[in-house]
Amino acid sequence: MKKHNKYNTEVTGAEALILSLLDENVNDIFGYPGGAIMPIYDALYDYMDQLNHYLVRHEQGAIHAAQGYSRVSGRPGVVFATSGPGATNLITGIADAQIDSTPLVCITGQVASHLLGTDAFQETDVVGISMPVTKWNIQVTKAEEIAPAIAKAFYIATTGRPGPVLVDITKDAQFGKTNYEYKKCESIRSYFPHPKINVDEIKKAAELINNAKRPFILCGHGVLLSSAERQLLAFAEKADIPVASTLLGLSAFPPQHPLYVGYLGMHGNYGPNLMTNKCDVLIAIGMRFDDRVTSNVSKYAKQAKVIHFEIDPSEINKIIPADIAILGDAKEALDLLLPEIKTQKRKEWLQGFDECNKIEYEKVIKNAVDPESEKLRMAEVIDKFHKISQGNAIVVTDVGQHQMITSRYYKFNEPNHLVTSGGLGTMGFGLPAAIGAKVAKPNEDVVAVLGDGGFQMTIQELGTIMQSNIAVKILVLNNNFLGMVRQWQQLFFDRRYSFTEMKNPDFIAIAKGYGITGKKITKRKDLQEAIFEMLESKDAFILEVVVENEDNVFPMVATGASVSEITLE
């Protein structure tokens, strides 16, 4: 094995790439080899004692694993893929990372530069294809361009609003020779990732908050990305303001705190949705007013003054007009705001949320977690999982009913302990993302909560778990339906269940084929012991729980409705 020589030395372009990753302190790579990236894999062979490579079973598995890795570690996930189908198989995950602000560095091999544009074997214009869904991308055709491109890629991916970048490297650039020297990128002309915060706007915001009778904080993913959890808590406590979370903002605010009033959105809690249209000042921190949060924007918080904290200028006034816009990092902005805020008590305003919680408990939660039905319900499974794990697990979900149920009933004690696909809603995300999360945090419990549909989209990644001995726990809520689509078909399409019922395989037998222990349960009396067994396993473990097949997720804000028209049943 080679040692990284930091002195100027002649190497191939492929080795220059590997050395660049080491200079960026990369430890882990997720990838799949192929013809156009073979020189890079050959160079990697000499550095296997310094870089861990995880061989996935499909490039989509690599990109989602890198997302899970990044979301729990705070470091950019790194992906290798070959040209053509290898590169195009990354696109869904890249789009997912772009909309959910996840920093990734994707390295794709490309045909030799003299073949570009000739429709050569496994040639695609991956730069053109990925341009709409990357923060930045580039094609490199010379060996000496590789190190500067990688330095720029890491800088862009991790600064400002994070996101995915892609570096496409032709095969001749990988074979070519260059004198290796690495200089970290610290600035780029015309790129200003850290806007200077306008102190006058901070003072205006403070005045509005100090004079408010019914202020309300909406906490988004940006709080976690800027590590502003402590500042948010101090602000909320000083001003006695209720805090609700978006899907990706979950775990940014302590769930047991008296000021935490729940989860926003289509299947969020009753109080936060209803009270959005009763507050007088709406304080949005690191969130982008996604349609799943606002529903009908023409009926959204029309009575309120809106203060929007946001690092990406394109998000300000895009959906909900801001009365005061504070452009900049959330942590820095809250640090400036806190001294300007007066200590207050808002007992009457908070009481309204308490009353909503009582209504939701009686009409929805009580029967969901302690059902009278014979069959197990999704909510009781997640509630039991939460209680047994004491809210300490890193939970990675796929997309669907189980995702909404997990978001509602699992209470995350630590920041960045929920990993889920928010903006794009990518089925198949959960299993590979859990692999990446476990690689990043090997000493923590990582549990993938999956539906039977999404699990089968990337089920082949059980092979990655087997080969790399990754102790991911898998909890499959099996209702033999594409549950979220079926719920809509029931409520809005007269129960016309068009192609949503699923005949599923024996998941436990499949897992056994990959050397993974598992158990399937159908009875309530077996649930607690089975969850204990899953969590206590030192190796990967799959627990399949057969749940009621026509269970619905409530509350619900129907498409086109106002958030105050949220229904409980």
Side-chain angles (χ1 to χ4, degrees):
M1 297 297 169
K2 290 187 178 181
K3 294 299 178 186
H4 183 359
N5 184 352
K6 288 183 178 289
Y7 296 101
N8 194 306
T9 182
E10 189 177 70
V11 297
T12 65
E15 189 172 0
L17 169 71
I18 302 300
L19 296 175
S20 298
L21 295 178
L22 289 171
D23 275 325
E24 286 290 345
N25 299 313
V26 171
N27 299 312
D28 303 291
I29 301 163
F30 304 91
Y32 202 94
I37 200 170
M38 207 178 297
I40 288 172
Y41 271 89
D42 184 66
L44 178 61
Y45 188 86
D46 290 327
Y47 292 89
M48 288 191 295
D49 59 338
Q50 297 170 68
L51 286 165
N52 303 310
H53 179 277
Y54 295 88
L55 177 64
V56 297
R57 296 305 185 262
H58 189 284
E59 290 86 358
Q60 186 179 354
I63 196 81
H64 292 326
Q67 287 178 272
Y69 180 93
S70 178
R71 291 273 285 274
V72 301
S73 71
R75 302 190 301 274
V78 178
V79 179
F80 284 178
T82 195
S83 64
T88 57
N89 282 342
L90 299 179
I91 296 300
T92 295
I94 293 173
D96 193 289
Q98 173 81 336
I99 201 165
D100 283 353
S101 305
T102 305
L104 303 178
V105 176
C106 304
I107 313 294
T108 54
Q110 183 57 274
V111 300
S113 54
H114 73 277
L115 293 173
L116 291 171
T118 68
D119 293 330
F121 177 66
Q122 291 192 334
E123 181 200 359
T124 56
D125 179 10
V126 69
V127 171
I129 291 169
S130 66
M131 190 173 291
V133 291
T134 48
K135 190 176 177 185
W136 177 77
N137 66 16
I138 190 172
Q139 186 171 81
V140 176
T141 59
K142 295 179 181 177
E144 61 267 26
E145 296 172 348
I146 290 175
I150 295 301
K152 195 172 180 181
F154 274 88
Y155 178 69
I156 293 172
T158 57
T159 52
R161 180 180 179 178
V165 300
L166 184 142
V167 181
D168 191 46
I169 308 175
T170 60
K171 202 167 184 179
D172 51 322
Q174 298 171 46
F175 277 125
K177 295 286 189 176
T178 182
N179 288 319
Y180 178 74
E181 184 180 7
Y182 197 76
K183 293 180 181 177
K184 283 205 173 191
C185 182
E186 295 179 347
S187 66
I188 297 171
R189 184 180 175 183
S190 77
Y191 173 56
F192 306 104
H194 298 292
K196 186 177 180 181
I197 295 168
N198 188 326
V199 177
D200 289 338
E201 294 301 302
I202 291 282
K203 291 183 182 297
K204 289 178 188 176
E207 184 179 4
L208 199 56
I209 293 164
N210 289 335
N211 292 321
K213 300 296 182 188
R214 301 179 306 282
F216 187 19
I217 296 171
L218 309 184
C219 153
H221 192 201
V223 173
L224 292 163
L225 291 171
S226 67
S227 301
E229 301 90 355
R230 184 175 57 82
Q231 286 78 5
L232 173 61
L233 180 61
F235 167 44
E237 288 182 336
K238 187 174 184 181
D240 205 30
I241 302 176
V243 178
S245 172
T246 66
L247 174 63
L248 293 186
L250 289 169
S251 80
F253 198 85
Q256 311 301 342
H257 196 285
L259 289 173
Y260 183 69
V261 295
Y263 162 48
L264 292 160
M266 177 177 282
H267 291 293
N269 294 109
Y270 184 55
N273 282 293
L274 194 69
M275 302 302 258
T276 295
N277 281 357
K278 293 185 179 180
C279 68
D280 59 0
V281 175
L282 193 65
I283 307 158
I285 306 175
M287 56 87 73
R288 57 187 180 83
F289 292 108
D290 177 78
D291 64 290
R292 283 297 192 263
V293 167
T294 64
S295 194
N296 189 332
V297 293
S298 68
K299 299 177 181 179
Y300 185 81
K302 291 300 178 183
Q303 79 294 338
K305 296 286 186 183
V306 175
I307 302 170
H308 195 177
F309 291 77
E310 175 58 55
I311 199 167
D312 183 351
S314 71
E315 294 293 349
I316 292 174
N317 297 321
K318 185 174 87 173
I319 296 169
I320 301 297
D323 294 278
I324 298 172
I326 297 173
L327 182 64
D329 179 78
K331 185 176 181 179
E332 293 175 24
L334 290 174
D335 275 332
L336 291 170
L337 178 69
L338 193 59
E340 306 288 335
I341 294 296
K342 293 178 181 177
T343 302
Q344 298 200 43
K345 290 294 178 187
R346 308 181 195 274
K347 185 178 179 182
E348 188 178 337
W349 172 229
L350 288 164
Q351 217 163 18
F353 287 91
D354 292 337
E355 290 166 8
C356 289
N357 289 342
K358 289 173 185 174
I359 293 169
E360 183 177 351
Y361 180 80
E362 288 298 324
K363 287 186 173 284
V364 179
I365 297 172
K366 185 178 179 180
N367 186 51
V369 300
D370 188 18
E372 298 174 357
S373 61
E374 182 183 340
K375 292 182 180 178
L376 284 158
R377 294 190 66 184
M378 292 179 289
E380 68 174 309
V381 178
I382 299 303
D383 181 64
K384 184 72 72 175
F385 164 43
H386 164 256
K387 287 172 179 171
I388 292 171
S389 66
Q390 299 181 321
N392 293 323
I394 294 173
V395 180
V396 185
T397 83
D398 210 89
V399 171
Q401 284 185 316
H402 69 277
Q403 176 191 33
M404 297 296 100
I405 289 290
T406 302
S407 304
R408 286 178 50 78
Y409 292 96
Y410 198 92
K411 310 301 180 189
F412 302 92
N413 290 338
E414 297 293 332
N416 297 306
H417 269 46
L418 171 66
V419 179
T420 194
S421 171
L424 199 64
T426 304
M427 290 180 69
F429 173 89
L431 181 61
I435 291 170
K438 185 64 176 179
V439 168
K441 299 286 184 180
N443 297 322
E444 297 199 36
D445 280 328
V446 175
V447 181
V449 180
L450 313 174
D452 46 308
F455 181 29
Q456 292 179 83
M457 287 196 172
T458 48
I459 196 169
Q460 71 278 355
E461 297 309 325
L462 293 174
T464 306
I465 292 172
M466 174 181 65
Q467 181 161 343
S468 296
N469 194 27
I470 301 169
V472 169
K473 314 298 169 59
I474 303 163
L475 175 57
V476 180
L477 302 184
N478 183 2
N479 58 11
N480 291 106
F481 266 108
L482 297 175
M484 187 59 83
V485 184
R486 185 214 54 77
Q487 177 169 336
W488 280 60
Q489 288 174 336
Q490 177 185 334
L491 298 177
F492 307 115
F493 293 88
D494 299 321
R495 288 183 182 265
R496 290 160 58 88
Y497 294 160
S498 179
F499 298 101
T500 48
E501 188 169 3
M502 301 195 79
K503 184 175 182 179
N504 288 319
D506 185 336
F507 292 127
I508 307 305
I510 290 172
K512 186 178 180 181
Y514 285 101
I516 298 170
T517 303
K519 174 175 278 189
K520 177 178 180 177
I521 68 163
T522 60
K523 303 292 184 183
R524 187 167 287 115
K525 65 181 177 60
D526 300 323
L527 179 61
Q528 180 165 306
E529 183 182 341
I531 293 174
F532 269 116
E533 185 178 354
M534 175 186 74
L535 292 175
E536 288 173 357
S537 173
K538 296 189 184 306
D539 301 310
F541 189 98
I542 178 170
L543 173 59
E544 178 187 354
V545 183
V546 178
V547 294
E548 191 174 325
N549 59 1
E550 290 189 87
D551 197 3
N552 288 332
V553 188
F554 284 105
M556 181 174 183
V557 181
T559 302
S562 161
V563 289
S564 56
E565 295 170 324
I566 183 170
T567 57
L568 293 166
E569 53 193 5

